[in-house]
């Protein structure tokens, strides 16, 4: 088998949360258990939400957890792994898609989009109905006078399927279940879908492991890989972490960020707890990330959301 390359791809818009730590731990264990390497990409596309200071904290927290990487990081290679520094590359590929005739400007306002869109079956996403798909050159020129357009990628009426490392077969008809999607925002910032797929391709990533809130992004990303002529990576999605009462964690749960937890617990306590609730150990015990490598097995990881133990974070288990 060829060399496995996994990745961490945090968005540095805040401190690292326990849920991010779980995703990074599983991504790292999956790659390392196959003798693979890991890269660290900085998803700081949105300049208003991201900061390199946060990224440096995240790197320190990954180190604290015992999760290392072989390439990448905010200050490595003159910041070449930061998406905020890669917009020329994205432009080059965006132009390729334009030349293929697959990209068009969209002038719809948020309100128009909501009014005209059918909600997606389960995840509340809106399906774009193609309102701006066939505008004439005159209409585009006219609309451009008052509004900067976002740019959408036309999707085919075709099913995109893949076999998720954890959830198994997953199929989506892009035109019925997603619609043409934005690859560049009106302010010129490239969209996550384009940047993530392109960077996974250009950085040689063979395995993408992340939270299952991104499961439904994978067909779009696979389709972008196909358009750019890359072999898509394998995808493995993991359940989300919730509070002990099942509530979704949010950034407001400040006591669950790694920095706060690191004042109370040792890394092998936190990693041992994560390994245990992720199903890798039957009983809670302190564990380093390295010690979990031989225990890693996708089959042990639950399919449903993973709840934090009662009384956490005052008590660990
Ligand atoms: N940057 C995303 C996040 O921090 C992850 C994207 C991905 O793994 O594809 O949630």
């Amino acid at each position: 088998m060829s060399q496995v390359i996994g990745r961490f791809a945090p968005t540095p818009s805040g401190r690292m949360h326990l849920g991010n730590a779980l995703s990074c731990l599983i991504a790292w264990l999956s790659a390392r258990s196959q003798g693979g390497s890991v890269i660290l990409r900085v998803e700081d596309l949105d300049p208003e939400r991201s900061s390199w200071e946060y990224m440096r904290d995240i790197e320190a927290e990954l180190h604290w957890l015992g999760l290392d990487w072989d390439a990448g990081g905010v200050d490595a290679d003159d910041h070449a792994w930061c998406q905020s520094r890669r917009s020329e590359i994205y432009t080059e590929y965006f132009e390729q898609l334009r030349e293929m005739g697959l990209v068009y400007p969209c002038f719809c306002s948020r309100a128009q989009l909501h009014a005209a869109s059918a909600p997606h079956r389960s995840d509340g996403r809106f399906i774009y109905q193609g309102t701006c798909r066939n505008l004439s050159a005159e209409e585009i020129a006219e609309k451009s006078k008052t509004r900067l357009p976002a740019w959408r990628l036309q999707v085919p009426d075709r099913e995109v399927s893949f076999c998720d490392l954890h959830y198994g077969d997953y199929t989506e008809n892009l035109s019925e279940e997603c619609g043409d999607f934005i690859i560049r925002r009106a302010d010129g910032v490239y969209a996550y879908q384009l940047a993530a797929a392109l960077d996974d391709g250009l950085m040689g990533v063979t395995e993408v492991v992340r939270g299952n809130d991104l499961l439904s992004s994978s067909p779009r990303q696979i389709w972008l890989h196909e358009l750019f002529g890359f072999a898509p990576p394998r995808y493995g999605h993991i359940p989300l972490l919730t509070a002990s009462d099942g509530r979704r964690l949010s950034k407001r749960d400040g006591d669950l960020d790694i920095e706060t937890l690191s004042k109370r617990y040792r890394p092998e306590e936190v990693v041992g707890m994560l390994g245990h609730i992720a199903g890798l150990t039957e009983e809670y015990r302190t564990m380093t990330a390295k010690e979990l490598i031989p225990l890693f097995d996708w089959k042990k990881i639950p399919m449903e959301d993973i709840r934090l133990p009662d009384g956490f974070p005052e008590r660990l288990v």
Side-chain angles (χ1 to χ4, degrees), residues 7 9-11 43 192 196 208 210 214 221:
R7 43 77 144 184
T11 300
E43 298 213 325
Y192 158 72
V208 169
R210 56 189 177 192
L214 290 168
Q221 294 179 10

Side-chain angles (χ1 to χ4, degrees), residues 21-223:
L22 179 67
S23 302
C24 289
L25 175 64
I26 304 293
W28 186 88
L29 288 172
S30 180
R32 294 296 192 219
S33 64
Q34 301 170 79
S37 49
V38 177
I39 62 169
L40 173 55
R41 178 168 78 231
V42 183
E43 298 213 325
D44 58 345
L45 277 174
D46 190 334
E48 290 181 3
R49 289 180 55 222
S50 315
S51 95
W52 286 357
E53 279 320 304
Y54 277 134
M55 193 59 212
R56 293 186 184 105
D57 292 338
I58 290 172
E59 292 185 11
E61 287 153 5
L62 286 168
H63 279 133
W64 184 81
L65 290 162
L67 304 179
D68 60 352
W69 54 94
D70 305 282
V74 62
D75 295 313
D77 306 312
D78 205 15
H79 313 292
W81 301 83
C82 297
Q83 292 189 325
S84 60
R85 289 294 181 91
R86 297 174 61 80
S87 51
E88 275 177 30
I89 300 173
Y90 305 144
T91 300
E92 196 185 306
Y93 284 85
F94 174 82
E95 291 304 333
Q96 276 186 25
L97 296 175
R98 262 176 94 158
E99 278 159 28
M100 293 179 206
L102 293 175
V103 177
Y104 62 87
C106 171
F107 298 89
C108 294
S109 66
R110 203 173 281 265
Q112 282 167 319
L113 288 175
H114 279 249
S117 305
H120 185 262
R121 44 180 188 169
S122 59
D123 62 7
R125 239 195 303 152
F126 283 89
I127 303 166
Y128 185 65
Q129 302 292 301
T131 317
C132 292
R133 196 189 250 213
N134 296 313
L135 295 179
S136 65
E138 292 74 36
E139 284 170 311
I140 291 175
E142 189 55 37
K143 285 177 185 283
S144 299
K145 288 184 192 154
T146 52
R147 197 178 177 95
L148 279 173
W151 295 83
R152 285 185 189 269
L153 180 67
Q154 273 189 44
V155 296
D157 183 8
R158 201 193 88 189
E159 286 185 341
V160 174
S161 300
F162 69 101
C163 185
D164 189 84
L165 293 166
H166 191 44
Y167 289 100
D169 290 335
Y170 187 87
T171 299
E172 189 170 292
N173 178 307
L174 286 175
S175 105
E176 283 170 19
E177 297 176 72
C178 171
D180 299 342
F181 59 94
I182 292 181
I183 54 171
R184 195 167 96 179
R185 297 189 333 202
D187 61 4
V189 172
Y190 286 95
Y192 158 72
Q193 303 292 353
L194 179 87
L198 196 48
D199 282 345
D200 284 334
L202 294 173
M203 294 172 182
V205 170
T206 66
E207 186 175 284
V208 169
V209 175
R210 56 189 177 192
N212 68 14
D213 51 337
L214 290 168
L215 182 63
S216 64
S217 287
S218 300
R220 275 171 278 176
Q221 294 179 10
I222 289 171
W223 193 59

